[in-house]
Amino acid sequence: MPLQRTVARQIKCSGIGLHTGKKIDLVIRPAGADDGIIFIRSDIPSRPEIKAIADNVVMTNHATTIAKDGHRISTVEHLLAAFSGLKIDNAIVEVSSDEVPIMDGSAAPFVHLIKMAGAMTQEREREYIRIKKPIKVRDGDKKAYLLPSNDFKIHFNIEFNNPVISAQSYLLKFSVRNFEKEIANARTFGFLDEVNILKKQGLAKGGTLDNVVVLDKYRVLNEDGLRYKDEFVRHKILDAIGDLSLIGKPIVGHFLADKSGHTLNHTLAKKVLAQKDKYEIVRIKSKEKVKRYSHAHGELALSTQ
Ligand code: ZN
């Protein structure tokens, strides 16, 4: 059975905060089995802990922000996606500010960092959330569904009134390899007029063409262009992987989204956790089998990969 994993050793980096423009130090170190991902504000003397769970989400506009006892950390989603994408269940993350550094706007630098640290297997089996019945949320023409499936896959559709993005659709069959190859490098993006408004509000101070794909009405302003022609929808998948990881366990199910974003992803995560009859906690027996773990109703075998 797959066992939980943490990072094998402590590793550090620093980067710029997208909103504050400040230099931020980030330390990732091993955590115990069942600890999950725990953030620590290392700039505050009491070093408050903020666990990366849906209950601690306090804001979802532009980025996902978690908080505990008034201490917050924003833009957690790309780092959480890297942990989830590399199947790291447990880690402690020290951040010297109220946001995770933006790095290059993708999850690739975090993937690189975590791989440098290496993974360490722990003496505890990994539990999964297997979706048994559809769980759906909608907001106008935006939707985010989790549907029963024998493996984790993400199908995302976006549509923007902009000729560079237009309509894009992508299906990710989740695996560490596919995450690294197809999703991890996709950068966050924004429109020039929006970026200017944010800067006027004192936000996005650290936003540059080094960490955001910026579009005007007709084109990409970054000199080197895009990393994939459908980089936008791939980044939306990256965000969704980070946001859904706040459910607390990896998912066995099909995430289907139209024009979803942090807010709807989070609404879905909360709805999943509130509807205990629509999922079950399982342990995967092998690559092919899922064993029913909770409630001891006997065994349930189904293929998973
Ligand atoms: Zn993002």
Side-chain angles (χ1 to χ4, degrees):
M1 294 204 186
L3 297 173
Q4 294 181 29
R5 308 200 311 162
T6 185
V7 288
R9 63 183 179 93
Q10 176 172 310
I11 196 149
K12 300 176 190 184
C13 75
S14 51
I16 298 294
L18 178 62
H19 287 301
T20 55
K22 287 190 291 194
K23 178 178 171 277
I24 299 166
D25 296 318
L26 180 86
V27 177
I28 299 173
R29 52 189 174 86
D34 294 333
D35 280 353
I37 308 296
I38 298 168
F39 285 85
I40 293 177
R41 283 283 301 269
S42 58
D43 56 322
I44 297 174
S46 63
R47 297 171 58 84
E49 289 187 2
I50 310 163
K51 193 163 182 186
I53 50 171
D55 270 350
N56 287 341
V57 171
V58 291
M59 249 173 50
T60 50
N61 51 334
H62 303 299
T64 296
T65 302
I66 55 172
K68 186 80 183 166
D69 301 329
H71 302 297
R72 57 180 56 209
I73 294 185
S74 70
T75 325
V76 294
E77 62 272 16
H78 303 162
L79 177 57
L80 291 180
F83 284 128
S84 186
L86 296 177
K87 297 192 175 175
I88 299 291
D89 307 277
N90 308 302
I92 292 169
V93 181
E94 297 184 9
V95 184
S96 69
S97 180
D98 59 359
E99 60 179 327
V100 172
I102 188 67
M103 311 310 285
D104 70 348
S106 78
F110 298 130
V111 166
H112 179 69
L113 198 67
I114 294 164
K115 287 177 83 170
M116 295 258 295
M120 186 174 74
T121 303
Q122 298 174 289
E123 294 296 312
R124 197 77 53 87
E125 285 162 27
R126 180 183 293 132
E127 294 175 347
Y128 294 76
I129 283 192
R130 189 181 79 88
I131 304 300
K132 291 196 298 183
K133 294 177 191 161
I135 303 167
K136 301 181 176 184
V137 293
R138 277 179 175 275
D139 176 17
D141 63 348
K142 298 174 188 168
K143 68 179 194 188
Y145 296 172
L146 266 169
L147 309 170
S149 168
N150 290 337
D151 47 19
F152 182 36
K153 59 187 174 194
I154 295 184
H155 189 181
F156 212 114
N157 304 302
I158 57 171
E159 205 179 328
F160 281 82
N161 187 18
N162 178 292
V164 183
I165 308 181
S166 174
Q168 297 188 352
S169 187
Y170 200 87
L171 173 67
L172 173 75
K173 289 185 168 191
F174 182 82
S175 69
V176 171
R177 189 183 140 81
N178 291 350
F179 171 78
E180 274 192 70
K181 209 170 73 172
E182 301 174 28
I183 303 300
N185 292 293
R187 292 163 297 170
T188 194
F189 59 95
F191 298 96
L192 188 60
D193 43 358
E194 266 178 27
V195 173
N196 288 337
I197 291 169
L198 285 175
K199 291 208 169 185
K200 271 188 196 144
Q201 293 171 345
L203 296 167
K205 281 183 187 154
T208 70
L209 294 173
D210 289 332
N211 53 36
V212 182
V213 176
V214 181
L215 299 132
D216 68 9
K217 284 197 175 75
Y218 311 101
R219 66 199 166 96
V220 171
L221 302 185
N222 308 57
E223 237 174 60
D224 294 335
L226 296 173
R227 292 179 177 174
Y228 316 91
K229 72 175 185 337
D230 54 0
E231 188 167 358
F232 309 101
V233 70
R234 292 181 194 234
H235 187 80
K236 288 291 198 177
I237 291 179
L238 196 164
D239 281 341
I241 291 171
D243 288 340
L244 292 177
S245 76
L246 291 159
I247 290 174
K249 297 183 195 302
I251 292 164
V252 180
H254 175 191
F255 177 69
L256 175 63
D258 281 352
K259 303 180 184 177
S260 187
H262 298 303
T263 302
L264 206 59
N265 294 344
H266 175 58
T267 308
L268 180 68
K270 293 282 277 190
K271 192 165 179 182
V272 170
L273 292 170
Q275 300 200 330
K276 297 198 186 321
D277 58 319
K278 295 195 173 166
Y279 70 85
E280 63 184 352
I281 309 290
V282 296
R283 290 177 184 178
I284 295 181
K285 211 174 177 183
S286 69
K287 276 206 158 179
E288 288 75 43
K289 307 278 184 192
V290 169
K291 182 180 179 184
R292 178 189 282 258
Y293 162 64
S294 62
H295 318 311
H297 286 150
E299 286 190 13
L300 176 79
L302 71 163
S303 78
T304 61
Q305 293 192 358

